[in-house]
Structures are given as C-alpha cells and as structure tokens.
Amino acid sequence: MPDFKPYLVIGLALGGVYAMSGVGLVVLYRTTGVINLFYGAMGALASIVAWTMVDEWGWNSWLSYGLVIVLAGILTTVYGWFLGPPLASRDPLIKACASLGFALVLLGFMQWRWTPDARSLTLPTDESQYVNGWLRINWTQAIGMVFPIVLTVATVLFLNRTKVGTAMRALADSRDNAALLGVPVRRVEATAWFGSGVIFGFSGLLLATLVSMEIVALTFSIPIAALAAALIGRMDSLTVTLIAAFVIGFVQSNLQAMASLSDYRNMTPFVFAIIVLLWFAWRGAVHGRMA
C-alpha cells in the first residue's frame, strides 16, 4: 500500500495556496468582470525578484518579501488602471486574452532578465518545524493551510459589511448603474486590482518554496489549479472555491504516492473542473426540461 502520510501536509498547504489565488480571481472577476490570466506570472515575478534581493543583493529577507508583495499589487493595479476602462465594455473573452498577453510580456521579461539556472527560495518560516511521529510541518506550510481560510472569511465580511465591499458588489451587478449611483468606479476597481495583486504576489512566494521556482511552471502550469477551483465556484462563490482548491491540492499531492498515477497528477485540476462543469450543465438541462 502506498504511504500517503508524507503528502498530507504538503497537499493541504498547496490546496490552501491555490485557494488564495482562487479567492483573488473570484473577487476581481466579481468586481471588474475580468478573468485575470496573468496572476501566475505576477507570482513568478514576485518570487524571482525576492530571490534576487535576498540572494544576490543581500537585502533583509522580511523587507524583500514585503516589498515584492507590494510590487505585485502595484503592477496589477497599473494594468487595471490603464487597460481596465478601455476593455470594460468588451467581451469577457477579450478581457481574458488581454490579461494573457500581459502574462506573456511578464514571462518574456523574466526569461530575458534571469537565466534558466536552478534556484531555490527559502522563506524565514521554512526554518521552524514541528515534528511529532510521522507529522512534519513548518510555518510556511501552516500559513498555506490556515491563512486562506482566514482570507476567505475576511473577504466575505469585507464584501458584506464595508462600504467599499458594497460598492464592489454593486459593480458586479452593473458598472454603469453603480456610477450613476455615485460609486467611485475607478477607485473601487483599483482597490480590487491591488488587493488581488497582493494575494497573487504572496501566493507566488509560497508556491516557490513549496513546489518550485521554475518561472514557466509558476506562470502557467502550477496556477491552473487556482483557476480550476475558481471555475468550480463559478467565479462567484468564495466558499466553494476554497473547498475545491483544498480538495484539488490534496488529491494532486497524494497522487505522488501512487506510482501508477503520479505522472498524471497535473491533470487533477482539469479533471475536477470538467466533472463539475459537466454536472452544472446536466443539472441545468434537467431543470430546463422540468420547467
């Protein structure tokens, strides 16, 4: 029988990081109508810049990580501030393609600036580890498991209890109507872009130390799981996105313990997303016939 114990913690930690990005995607989509496809590239940029600051320039670790998270938020906001309004009335597919183009720009810059040499990013939270029998967990993994839950709860409260959150929900219904009601559309959208960018930067740092700091993988391959979780949540439900991300990360990690299936673990997000989306379509068809 395969030994799943070593993969339990890392699976939950990965699922949590996927959930963080998924929450950022859902909130941004509900506010601006944009399916952001450059979130992985933003996380990759944050991790490689952090590595440069700490390993090449000798900067303080905490300062460097804080700066790159803020940098991710600023760059994401700049994109939303300048390209958001011209694309606001365009088809969602066009918006998504525009964000994918920005991802390719970021990827091209990273490949031009940094060589493809192997690198490793070590966070200060990696150093302290709790061991009890087979259970081994460090602070980075603990943050990956706990912080997404706190983030989801805080985001739900923010959207439902604050003026800015109410304005974000109003934008999700109608951008034009919200503007007529006096909602500062540009500022509210900038808040959503910045908040999601900070989340993407933070999740990129965690992924770089939990999985790999390979630029292409961080840009496209690994973050697919977060997008799959957001799609399972129908780009609307934060709770469903959170649960789906944890399940995807958990299953994906534990498939490594099974020799016959370990090579197919990267298919996990696609399989889950396809099954759930087909179920939504089937349920809609059944309800349509009953009506």
Side-chain angles (χ1 to χ4, degrees):
M1 289 292 294
D3 184 9
F4 294 102
K5 295 176 183 176
Y7 302 98
L8 297 179
V9 171
I10 187 63
L12 291 174
L14 278 177
V17 177
Y18 297 154
M20 287 172 53
S21 295
V23 168
L25 288 172
V26 170
V27 171
L28 185 63
Y29 178 77
R30 287 174 58 175
T31 305
T32 66
V34 176
I35 299 178
N36 184 357
L37 297 181
F38 67 75
Y39 66 101
M42 196 58 66
L45 181 65
S47 65
I48 195 69
V49 172
W51 176 85
T52 302
M53 289 179 172
V54 175
D55 287 52
E56 288 192 348
W57 299 348
W59 286 24
N60 176 271
S61 300
W62 289 106
L63 175 63
S64 300
Y65 300 140
L67 287 175
V68 297
I69 291 173
V70 174
L71 174 64
I74 292 174
L75 289 178
T76 303
T77 305
V78 169
Y79 174 91
W81 186 265
F82 289 102
L83 293 182
L87 295 173
S89 60
R90 304 301 296 271
D91 187 88
L93 180 60
I94 294 177
K95 297 178 184 179
C97 289
S99 68
L100 179 59
F102 188 53
L104 295 175
V105 170
L106 293 176
L107 177 61
F109 170 75
M110 287 184 284
Q111 291 182 323
W112 168 76
R113 169 60 179 80
W114 288 277
T115 62
D117 299 335
R119 302 177 181 85
S120 60
L121 184 66
T122 302
L123 300 179
T125 49
D126 293 339
E127 300 170 1
S128 179
Q129 182 172 249
Y130 172 77
V131 180
N132 185 1
W134 63 267
L135 178 63
R136 295 175 178 270
I137 181 172
N138 59 38
W139 275 106
T140 301
Q141 294 167 334
I143 291 172
M145 288 186 283
V146 176
F147 183 74
I149 300 174
V150 176
L151 175 66
T152 302
V153 173
T155 302
V156 171
L157 293 175
F158 174 79
L159 292 174
N160 293 324
R161 302 289 180 84
T162 67
K163 291 183 178 180
V164 177
T166 302
M168 286 182 176
R169 289 189 289 114
L171 284 180
D173 294 331
S174 173
R175 192 174 189 271
D176 293 334
N177 290 342
L180 291 174
L181 292 173
V183 174
V185 173
R186 296 295 298 277
R187 279 190 293 168
V188 173
E189 287 184 337
T191 301
W193 282 104
F194 181 79
S196 63
V198 167
I199 293 173
F200 300 149
F202 186 34
S203 62
L205 291 179
L206 293 179
L207 282 175
T209 186
L210 289 174
V211 184
S212 166
M213 208 175 73
E214 205 280 314
I215 292 174
V216 177
L218 282 177
T219 299
F220 293 117
S221 303
I222 298 175
I224 287 295
L227 180 60
L231 291 175
I232 291 172
R234 307 185 78 172
M235 300 303 293
D236 180 68
S237 174
L238 296 178
T239 303
V240 174
T241 299
L242 175 73
I243 296 172
F246 270 115
V247 172
I248 289 172
F250 185 81
V251 172
Q252 189 176 39
S253 177
N254 282 274
L255 284 177
Q256 291 183 277
M258 305 174 68
S260 60
L261 297 176
S262 61
D263 291 338
Y264 304 100
R265 63 184 182 275
N266 291 330
M267 296 172 56
T268 306
F270 299 99
V271 173
F272 272 91
I274 290 171
I275 291 174
V276 173
L277 292 176
L278 287 175
W279 181 75
F280 284 145
W282 173 81
R283 189 180 66 171
V286 170
H287 287 175
R289 288 197 297 268
M290 292 177 61

